Amino acid sequence: MDLYSLSKPILFKLDPENAHDLTLKSLKWLERGAGALFPKPAPCQIRQLMGLSFPNPVGLAAGLDKNGAYIDGLAALGFGFIEIGTVTPRPQPGNPKPRLFRLPEAEGIINRFGFNNLGVDALVSNVRNSRFYQKGGILGINIGKNFDTPNERAVDDYLICLRKVYAHASYITVNISSPNTKNLRQLQDKDALAGLLETLKLEQAELAQTHGRYVPMALKIAPDLESEQIAEITDLLLQHEIDAVIATNTTLAREAVVGLKHAEETGGLSGAPVKSKSTQVIRHLSMHLQGRIPIMGVGGILSGKDAQEKIEAGASLVQVYSGLIYRGPRVVGEICSTLG
Ligand SMILES: Cc1cc2nc3c(=O)[nH]c(=O)nc-3n(C[C@H](O)[C@H](O)[C@H](O)COP(=O)(O)O)c2cc1C
């Protein structure tokens, strides 16, 4: 039995957000060498994508380390890459508590955090202090907009974050798919998205000149999209030469959890109940993209087999969040062994 299996029954008796905070704080130990408590994943084949060399295909999905405060501890769990954020230009507290709910019978989670974070300057300062990135670890920084910035000015928030994080990221994720910031997902609509991507690509080109380094940009999308919308998004990804697409964020759908305690809470549902929806979106993306833009698959990966399904649907890399809560850090090694 590993350390996580021993602590999980205790953690699951606590309020979910307290358990979450306690686990993250305990990760600080890992930075001090307790990483030895967790078995390291077996060596994997290196994946070359977006001009980066991923030492293994399993990444930490955005949202667990919103401020980049635990990067080195998380790296000790064996991830091939770590995505921090979502970060916004200004600090914001997020929605009132409670805002995190477990649905253990379904191995699901509902959250309505609402981009609680300390703002982009605090995140950058944390990244500067992390050894992982300085030593060449692959760090994604996921950017968003403040809750009180209207959609018509959303691009300004993304630009502020893009400029501030550019020098500190291996890749940057543009998050337009959280269900917990009012109307954010409307940025996935064709005209809004075309404008946003065009502006961000122009800025990326300028920043690449200034810094002498091209930092790839990924777009993170929702699972709640019709096939027509997915086709429109893929056209825009190709047209604007976006470097990767991350599919998917959490779902608003509840059919997989009907009747369960907390199923009716407002927020985004993740974990096992979003798995098939995410895989479906990846399949659609893959059909349209035909390998021209890499896909990172995320949503309900709780085992090596789940990860394999994402790869078979067309993903080149995977990310995990809820799987870490339900299965603990050993899920990273299990996925690595399955994917090889
Ligand atoms: C508590 C929680 C907070 C999240 N916060 C963010 C976030 O800030 N930004 C983001 O892009 N995704 C966020 N996500 C979505 C995850 O990154 C991931 O896309 C989604 O949970 C599906 O993966 P999973 O089933 O492995 O959890 C969050 C997920 C959870 C459970």
Side-chain angles (χ1 to χ4, degrees), residues 61-323:
L64 183 63
D65 189 5
K66 295 193 190 266
N67 300 304
Y70 304 100
I71 299 170
D72 293 334
L74 289 162
L77 303 182
F79 288 106
F81 60 110
I82 288 175
E83 191 169 313
I84 58 172
T86 297
V87 70
T88 57
R90 288 168 284 119
Q92 60 180 33
N95 289 319
K97 294 178 188 176
R99 52 193 180 176
L100 182 64
F101 306 88
R102 292 186 204 102
L103 291 81
E105 302 91 336
E107 296 189 295
I109 293 173
I110 291 177
N111 92 85
R112 52 169 177 266
F113 273 117
F115 293 167
N116 53 313
N117 78 103
L118 300 173
V120 68
D121 292 331
L123 176 136
V124 165
S125 136
N126 284 334
V127 175
R128 281 183 196 276
N129 290 326
S130 97
R131 287 187 306 272
F132 174 73
Y133 181 60
Q134 316 307 338
K135 285 189 174 167
I138 296 191
L139 184 72
I141 304 185
N142 178 309
I143 61 175
K145 76 165 193 77
N146 281 110
F147 80 102
D148 54 357
T149 301
N151 268 9
E152 309 79 71
R153 294 216 309 274
V155 66
D156 299 339
D157 277 15
Y158 288 97
L159 280 172
I160 292 170
C161 290
L162 180 64
R163 290 179 188 131
K164 291 201 174 184
V165 305
Y166 192 88
H168 310 282
S170 312
Y171 71 89
I172 294 165
T173 301
V174 177
N175 180 13
I176 47 165
S177 49
S178 166
N180 300 316
T181 295
K182 204 169 165 224
N183 299 334
L184 187 80
R185 286 181 168 197
Q186 289 175 7
L187 297 174
Q188 296 177 125
D189 295 349
K190 197 173 168 191
D191 292 342
L193 186 58
L196 180 67
L197 295 183
E198 185 179 358
T199 308
L200 295 182
K201 278 305 284 189
L202 283 171
E203 187 64 24
Q204 181 199 32
E206 280 200 20
L207 288 164
Q209 282 263 313
T210 313
H211 293 272
R213 182 170 77 101
Y214 178 83
V215 178
M217 195 190 289
L219 185 74
K220 183 163 179 181
I221 63 170
D224 309 314
L225 294 167
E226 301 298 329
S227 36
E228 201 177 308
Q229 279 176 292
I230 299 176
E232 283 172 4
I233 291 175
T234 52
D235 285 347
L236 292 172
L237 291 170
L238 290 164
Q239 191 184 324
H240 294 284
E241 300 182 346
I242 301 300
D243 301 283
V245 53
I246 305 184
T248 68
N249 214 310
T250 55
T251 182
L252 288 169
R254 292 293 187 269
E255 64 257 16
V257 292
V258 175
L260 296 183
K261 190 171 175 201
H262 299 310
E264 296 308 319
E265 290 292 347
T266 300
L269 173 64
S270 60
V274 78
K275 185 175 86 167
S276 60
K277 250 179 179 297
S278 302
T279 308
Q280 201 49 34
V281 172
I282 294 166
R283 221 172 265 126
H284 267 110
L285 286 170
S286 172
M287 197 177 76
H288 290 290
L289 290 171
Q290 295 290 325
R292 287 170 288 181
I293 294 175
I295 303 167
M296 295 193 204
V298 51
I301 300 177
L302 274 73
S303 68
K305 186 174 159 286
D306 296 336
Q308 185 65 44
E309 276 173 34
K310 297 282 193 263
I311 302 292
E312 280 162 14
S316 302
L317 300 169
V318 294
Q319 292 183 327
V320 181
Y321 188 145
S322 303

